[in-house]
mmCIF file with all atom_site columns, all heavy atoms in Angstrom:
data_model
loop_
_atom_site.group_PDB
_atom_site.id
_atom_site.type_symbol
_atom_site.label_atom_id
_atom_site.label_alt_id
_atom_site.label_comp_id
_atom_site.label_asym_id
_atom_site.label_entity_id
_atom_site.label_seq_id
_atom_site.pdbx_PDB_ins_code
_atom_site.Cartn_x
_atom_site.Cartn_y
_atom_site.Cartn_z
_atom_site.occupancy
_atom_site.B_iso_or_equiv
_atom_site.pdbx_formal_charge
_atom_site.auth_seq_id
_atom_site.auth_comp_id
_atom_site.auth_asym_id
_atom_site.auth_atom_id
_atom_site.pdbx_PDB_model_num
ATOM 1   N N   . THR A 1 31  ? 6.772   20.265 -12.244 1.00 0.00 ? 31  THR A N   1
ATOM 2   C CA  . THR A 1 31  ? 6.264   19.154 -11.350 1.00 0.00 ? 31  THR A CA  1
ATOM 3   C C   . THR A 1 31  ? 7.283   17.913 -11.361 1.00 0.00 ? 31  THR A C   1
ATOM 4   O O   . THR A 1 31  ? 7.556   17.301 -10.411 1.00 0.00 ? 31  THR A O   1
ATOM 5   C CB  . THR A 1 31  ? 4.849   18.681 -11.681 1.00 0.00 ? 31  THR A CB  1
ATOM 6   O OG1 . THR A 1 31  ? 4.095   19.889 -11.751 1.00 0.00 ? 31  THR A OG1 1
ATOM 7   C CG2 . THR A 1 31  ? 4.395   17.746 -10.716 1.00 0.00 ? 31  THR A CG2 1
ATOM 8   N N   . TYR A 1 38  ? 12.091  15.267 -4.690  1.00 0.00 ? 38  TYR A N   1
ATOM 9   C CA  . TYR A 1 38  ? 11.393  14.589 -3.524  1.00 0.00 ? 38  TYR A CA  1
ATOM 10  C C   . TYR A 1 38  ? 11.632  13.097 -3.553  1.00 0.00 ? 38  TYR A C   1
ATOM 11  O O   . TYR A 1 38  ? 11.801  12.508 -2.475  1.00 0.00 ? 38  TYR A O   1
ATOM 12  C CB  . TYR A 1 38  ? 9.965   15.055 -3.554  1.00 0.00 ? 38  TYR A CB  1
ATOM 13  C CG  . TYR A 1 38  ? 9.348   15.261 -2.196  1.00 0.00 ? 38  TYR A CG  1
ATOM 14  C CD1 . TYR A 1 38  ? 9.706   16.367 -1.425  1.00 0.00 ? 38  TYR A CD1 1
ATOM 15  C CD2 . TYR A 1 38  ? 8.442   14.433 -1.665  1.00 0.00 ? 38  TYR A CD2 1
ATOM 16  C CE1 . TYR A 1 38  ? 9.279   16.633 -0.192  1.00 0.00 ? 38  TYR A CE1 1
ATOM 17  C CE2 . TYR A 1 38  ? 7.894   14.693 -0.388  1.00 0.00 ? 38  TYR A CE2 1
ATOM 18  C CZ  . TYR A 1 38  ? 8.299   15.824 0.314   1.00 0.00 ? 38  TYR A CZ  1
ATOM 19  O OH  . TYR A 1 38  ? 7.820   16.128 1.536   1.00 0.00 ? 38  TYR A OH  1
ATOM 20  N N   . PHE A 1 53  ? 24.468  9.190  7.335   1.00 0.00 ? 53  PHE A N   1
ATOM 21  C CA  . PHE A 1 53  ? 24.163  10.290 8.184   1.00 0.00 ? 53  PHE A CA  1
ATOM 22  C C   . PHE A 1 53  ? 23.671  10.142 9.471   1.00 0.00 ? 53  PHE A C   1
ATOM 23  O O   . PHE A 1 53  ? 23.431  10.947 10.299  1.00 0.00 ? 53  PHE A O   1
ATOM 24  C CB  . PHE A 1 53  ? 23.029  11.129 7.356   1.00 0.00 ? 53  PHE A CB  1
ATOM 25  C CG  . PHE A 1 53  ? 23.566  11.927 6.235   1.00 0.00 ? 53  PHE A CG  1
ATOM 26  C CD1 . PHE A 1 53  ? 23.748  11.282 5.005   1.00 0.00 ? 53  PHE A CD1 1
ATOM 27  C CD2 . PHE A 1 53  ? 23.859  13.256 6.376   1.00 0.00 ? 53  PHE A CD2 1
ATOM 28  C CE1 . PHE A 1 53  ? 24.294  12.076 3.943   1.00 0.00 ? 53  PHE A CE1 1
ATOM 29  C CE2 . PHE A 1 53  ? 24.343  13.918 5.200   1.00 0.00 ? 53  PHE A CE2 1
ATOM 30  C CZ  . PHE A 1 53  ? 24.583  13.341 4.042   1.00 0.00 ? 53  PHE A CZ  1
ATOM 31  N N   . SER A 1 55  ? 24.217  7.442  13.240  1.00 0.00 ? 55  SER A N   1
ATOM 32  C CA  . SER A 1 55  ? 25.100  6.481  13.887  1.00 0.00 ? 55  SER A CA  1
ATOM 33  C C   . SER A 1 55  ? 24.792  5.090  13.548  1.00 0.00 ? 55  SER A C   1
ATOM 34  O O   . SER A 1 55  ? 23.521  4.706  13.526  1.00 0.00 ? 55  SER A O   1
ATOM 35  C CB  . SER A 1 55  ? 25.039  6.679  15.462  1.00 0.00 ? 55  SER A CB  1
ATOM 36  O OG  . SER A 1 55  ? 25.757  5.776  16.048  1.00 0.00 ? 55  SER A OG  1
ATOM 37  N N   . LEU A 1 63  ? 18.018  3.228  10.531  1.00 0.00 ? 63  LEU A N   1
ATOM 38  C CA  . LEU A 1 63  ? 17.008  3.157  9.408   1.00 0.00 ? 63  LEU A CA  1
ATOM 39  C C   . LEU A 1 63  ? 15.776  3.978  9.687   1.00 0.00 ? 63  LEU A C   1
ATOM 40  O O   . LEU A 1 63  ? 15.135  4.696  9.029   1.00 0.00 ? 63  LEU A O   1
ATOM 41  C CB  . LEU A 1 63  ? 16.623  1.708  9.023   1.00 0.00 ? 63  LEU A CB  1
ATOM 42  C CG  . LEU A 1 63  ? 15.558  1.398  8.103   1.00 0.00 ? 63  LEU A CG  1
ATOM 43  C CD1 . LEU A 1 63  ? 15.980  2.047  6.691   1.00 0.00 ? 63  LEU A CD1 1
ATOM 44  C CD2 . LEU A 1 63  ? 15.358  -0.014 7.813   1.00 0.00 ? 63  LEU A CD2 1
ATOM 45  N N   . LEU A 1 67  ? 14.138  7.130  7.756   1.00 0.00 ? 67  LEU A N   1
ATOM 46  C CA  . LEU A 1 67  ? 12.722  7.168  7.363   1.00 0.00 ? 67  LEU A CA  1
ATOM 47  C C   . LEU A 1 67  ? 12.061  8.321  8.092   1.00 0.00 ? 67  LEU A C   1
ATOM 48  O O   . LEU A 1 67  ? 11.095  8.955  7.457   1.00 0.00 ? 67  LEU A O   1
ATOM 49  C CB  . LEU A 1 67  ? 12.117  5.865  7.501   1.00 0.00 ? 67  LEU A CB  1
ATOM 50  C CG  . LEU A 1 67  ? 12.617  4.914  6.717   1.00 0.00 ? 67  LEU A CG  1
ATOM 51  C CD1 . LEU A 1 67  ? 11.910  3.393  6.981   1.00 0.00 ? 67  LEU A CD1 1
ATOM 52  C CD2 . LEU A 1 67  ? 12.416  5.047  5.212   1.00 0.00 ? 67  LEU A CD2 1
ATOM 53  N N   . ARG A 1 161 ? -7.813  16.037 -18.678 1.00 0.00 ? 161 ARG A N   1
ATOM 54  C CA  . ARG A 1 161 ? -6.678  15.660 -19.302 1.00 0.00 ? 161 ARG A CA  1
ATOM 55  C C   . ARG A 1 161 ? -5.382  16.525 -19.153 1.00 0.00 ? 161 ARG A C   1
ATOM 56  O O   . ARG A 1 161 ? -4.252  16.018 -19.114 1.00 0.00 ? 161 ARG A O   1
ATOM 57  C CB  . ARG A 1 161 ? -6.838  15.495 -20.922 1.00 0.00 ? 161 ARG A CB  1
ATOM 58  C CG  . ARG A 1 161 ? -7.009  16.890 -21.617 1.00 0.00 ? 161 ARG A CG  1
ATOM 59  C CD  . ARG A 1 161 ? -7.199  16.729 -23.092 1.00 0.00 ? 161 ARG A CD  1
ATOM 60  N NE  . ARG A 1 161 ? -8.597  16.108 -23.284 1.00 0.00 ? 161 ARG A NE  1
ATOM 61  C CZ  . ARG A 1 161 ? -9.150  15.859 -24.494 1.00 0.00 ? 161 ARG A CZ  1
ATOM 62  N NH1 . ARG A 1 161 ? -8.385  15.987 -25.554 1.00 0.00 ? 161 ARG A NH1 1
ATOM 63  N NH2 . ARG A 1 161 ? -10.338 15.350 -24.539 1.00 0.00 ? 161 ARG A NH2 1
ATOM 64  N N   . GLY A 1 169 ? 4.257   14.435 -14.379 1.00 0.00 ? 169 GLY A N   1
ATOM 65  C CA  . GLY A 1 169 ? 5.462   14.797 -13.756 1.00 0.00 ? 169 GLY A CA  1
ATOM 66  C C   . GLY A 1 169 ? 6.048   13.872 -12.625 1.00 0.00 ? 169 GLY A C   1
ATOM 67  O O   . GLY A 1 169 ? 7.169   13.661 -12.405 1.00 0.00 ? 169 GLY A O   1
ATOM 68  N N   . SER A 1 191 ? 33.129  3.779  -3.727  1.00 0.00 ? 191 SER A N   1
ATOM 69  C CA  . SER A 1 191 ? 32.888  4.851  -4.511  1.00 0.00 ? 191 SER A CA  1
ATOM 70  C C   . SER A 1 191 ? 31.326  5.440  -4.408  1.00 0.00 ? 191 SER A C   1
ATOM 71  O O   . SER A 1 191 ? 31.263  6.637  -4.342  1.00 0.00 ? 191 SER A O   1
ATOM 72  C CB  . SER A 1 191 ? 33.155  4.608  -6.132  1.00 0.00 ? 191 SER A CB  1
ATOM 73  O OG  . SER A 1 191 ? 34.453  4.217  -6.303  1.00 0.00 ? 191 SER A OG  1
ATOM 74  N N   . LEU A 1 199 ? 25.843  12.503 -6.960  1.00 0.00 ? 199 LEU A N   1
ATOM 75  C CA  . LEU A 1 199 ? 25.687  13.029 -8.265  1.00 0.00 ? 199 LEU A CA  1
ATOM 76  C C   . LEU A 1 199 ? 24.173  13.234 -8.569  1.00 0.00 ? 199 LEU A C   1
ATOM 77  O O   . LEU A 1 199 ? 23.854  14.307 -9.256  1.00 0.00 ? 199 LEU A O   1
ATOM 78  C CB  . LEU A 1 199 ? 26.272  11.928 -9.218  1.00 0.00 ? 199 LEU A CB  1
ATOM 79  C CG  . LEU A 1 199 ? 27.816  11.722 -9.096  1.00 0.00 ? 199 LEU A CG  1
ATOM 80  C CD1 . LEU A 1 199 ? 28.249  10.733 -10.097 1.00 0.00 ? 199 LEU A CD1 1
ATOM 81  C CD2 . LEU A 1 199 ? 28.409  13.079 -9.313  1.00 0.00 ? 199 LEU A CD2 1
ATOM 82  N N   . PHE A 1 269 ? 8.391   2.253  1.223   1.00 0.00 ? 269 PHE A N   1
ATOM 83  C CA  . PHE A 1 269 ? 8.455   1.275  2.143   1.00 0.00 ? 269 PHE A CA  1
ATOM 84  C C   . PHE A 1 269 ? 8.807   -0.173 1.580   1.00 0.00 ? 269 PHE A C   1
ATOM 85  O O   . PHE A 1 269 ? 9.630   -0.911 2.245   1.00 0.00 ? 269 PHE A O   1
ATOM 86  C CB  . PHE A 1 269 ? 7.012   1.146  2.760   1.00 0.00 ? 269 PHE A CB  1
ATOM 87  C CG  . PHE A 1 269 ? 6.780   -0.216 3.527   1.00 0.00 ? 269 PHE A CG  1
ATOM 88  C CD1 . PHE A 1 269 ? 7.455   -0.501 4.858   1.00 0.00 ? 269 PHE A CD1 1
ATOM 89  C CD2 . PHE A 1 269 ? 6.016   -1.289 3.006   1.00 0.00 ? 269 PHE A CD2 1
ATOM 90  C CE1 . PHE A 1 269 ? 7.293   -1.642 5.589   1.00 0.00 ? 269 PHE A CE1 1
ATOM 91  C CE2 . PHE A 1 269 ? 5.803   -2.370 3.733   1.00 0.00 ? 269 PHE A CE2 1
ATOM 92  C CZ  . PHE A 1 269 ? 6.573   -2.669 4.980   1.00 0.00 ? 269 PHE A CZ  1
ATOM 93  N N   . VAL A 1 285 ? 14.962  -3.865 -6.614  1.00 0.00 ? 285 VAL A N   1
ATOM 94  C CA  . VAL A 1 285 ? 13.977  -3.062 -6.194  1.00 0.00 ? 285 VAL A CA  1
ATOM 95  C C   . VAL A 1 285 ? 13.981  -1.754 -6.998  1.00 0.00 ? 285 VAL A C   1
ATOM 96  O O   . VAL A 1 285 ? 12.905  -1.221 -7.331  1.00 0.00 ? 285 VAL A O   1
ATOM 97  C CB  . VAL A 1 285 ? 14.122  -2.829 -4.638  1.00 0.00 ? 285 VAL A CB  1
ATOM 98  C CG1 . VAL A 1 285 ? 12.680  -2.195 -4.187  1.00 0.00 ? 285 VAL A CG1 1
ATOM 99  C CG2 . VAL A 1 285 ? 14.184  -4.156 -3.999  1.00 0.00 ? 285 VAL A CG2 1
ATOM 100 N N   . ILE A 1 310 ? -16.621 9.907  -17.308 1.00 0.00 ? 310 ILE A N   1
ATOM 101 C CA  . ILE A 1 310 ? -17.547 9.460  -16.322 1.00 0.00 ? 310 ILE A CA  1
ATOM 102 C C   . ILE A 1 310 ? -17.339 10.295 -15.045 1.00 0.00 ? 310 ILE A C   1
ATOM 103 O O   . ILE A 1 310 ? -17.989 10.054 -13.997 1.00 0.00 ? 310 ILE A O   1
ATOM 104 C CB  . ILE A 1 310 ? -17.151 7.907  -15.939 1.00 0.00 ? 310 ILE A CB  1
ATOM 105 C CG1 . ILE A 1 310 ? -15.653 7.728  -15.350 1.00 0.00 ? 310 ILE A CG1 1
ATOM 106 C CG2 . ILE A 1 310 ? -17.347 7.111  -17.143 1.00 0.00 ? 310 ILE A CG2 1
ATOM 107 C CD1 . ILE A 1 310 ? -15.328 6.469  -14.922 1.00 0.00 ? 310 ILE A CD1 1
ATOM 108 N N   . ALA A 1 327 ? -4.417  -5.594 -2.229  1.00 0.00 ? 327 ALA A N   1
ATOM 109 C CA  . ALA A 1 327 ? -3.329  -5.315 -1.296  1.00 0.00 ? 327 ALA A CA  1
ATOM 110 C C   . ALA A 1 327 ? -2.683  -6.674 -0.869  1.00 0.00 ? 327 ALA A C   1
ATOM 111 O O   . ALA A 1 327 ? -1.438  -6.898 -0.767  1.00 0.00 ? 327 ALA A O   1
ATOM 112 C CB  . ALA A 1 327 ? -3.995  -4.658 -0.046  1.00 0.00 ? 327 ALA A CB  1
ATOM 113 N N   . TYR A 1 357 ? -4.566  8.713  -8.580  1.00 0.00 ? 357 TYR A N   1
ATOM 114 C CA  . TYR A 1 357 ? -3.691  9.703  -8.502  1.00 0.00 ? 357 TYR A CA  1
ATOM 115 C C   . TYR A 1 357 ? -3.900  10.664 -9.897  1.00 0.00 ? 357 TYR A C   1
ATOM 116 O O   . TYR A 1 357 ? -3.694  11.887 -9.963  1.00 0.00 ? 357 TYR A O   1
ATOM 117 C CB  . TYR A 1 357 ? -2.325  9.386  -8.548  1.00 0.00 ? 357 TYR A CB  1
ATOM 118 C CG  . TYR A 1 357 ? -1.266  10.438 -8.376  1.00 0.00 ? 357 TYR A CG  1
ATOM 119 C CD1 . TYR A 1 357 ? -1.016  11.095 -7.424  1.00 0.00 ? 357 TYR A CD1 1
ATOM 120 C CD2 . TYR A 1 357 ? -0.464  10.720 -9.591  1.00 0.00 ? 357 TYR A CD2 1
ATOM 121 C CE1 . TYR A 1 357 ? -0.124  12.255 -7.454  1.00 0.00 ? 357 TYR A CE1 1
ATOM 122 C CE2 . TYR A 1 357 ? 0.512   11.609 -9.685  1.00 0.00 ? 357 TYR A CE2 1
ATOM 123 C CZ  . TYR A 1 357 ? 0.651   12.414 -8.500  1.00 0.00 ? 357 TYR A CZ  1
ATOM 124 O OH  . TYR A 1 357 ? 1.597   13.444 -8.379  1.00 0.00 ? 357 TYR A OH  1
ATOM 125 N N   . ILE A 1 399 ? 6.931   -3.764 12.089  1.00 0.00 ? 399 ILE A N   1
ATOM 126 C CA  . ILE A 1 399 ? 7.565   -4.939 11.671  1.00 0.00 ? 399 ILE A CA  1
ATOM 127 C C   . ILE A 1 399 ? 8.703   -5.255 12.684  1.00 0.00 ? 399 ILE A C   1
ATOM 128 O O   . ILE A 1 399 ? 8.905   -6.289 13.154  1.00 0.00 ? 399 ILE A O   1
ATOM 129 C CB  . ILE A 1 399 ? 8.275   -4.644 10.221  1.00 0.00 ? 399 ILE A CB  1
ATOM 130 C CG1 . ILE A 1 399 ? 7.155   -4.676 9.140   1.00 0.00 ? 399 ILE A CG1 1
ATOM 131 C CG2 . ILE A 1 399 ? 9.198   -5.900 9.954   1.00 0.00 ? 399 ILE A CG2 1
ATOM 132 C CD1 . ILE A 1 399 ? 7.759   -4.347 7.808   1.00 0.00 ? 399 ILE A CD1 1
#
Side-chain angles (χ1 to χ4, degrees):
T31 306
Y38 217 66
F53 282 82
S55 171
L63 177 60
L67 292 176
R161 74 182 64 181
S191 298
L199 298 180
F269 168 69
V285 191
I310 68 173
Y357 184 73
I399 290 173

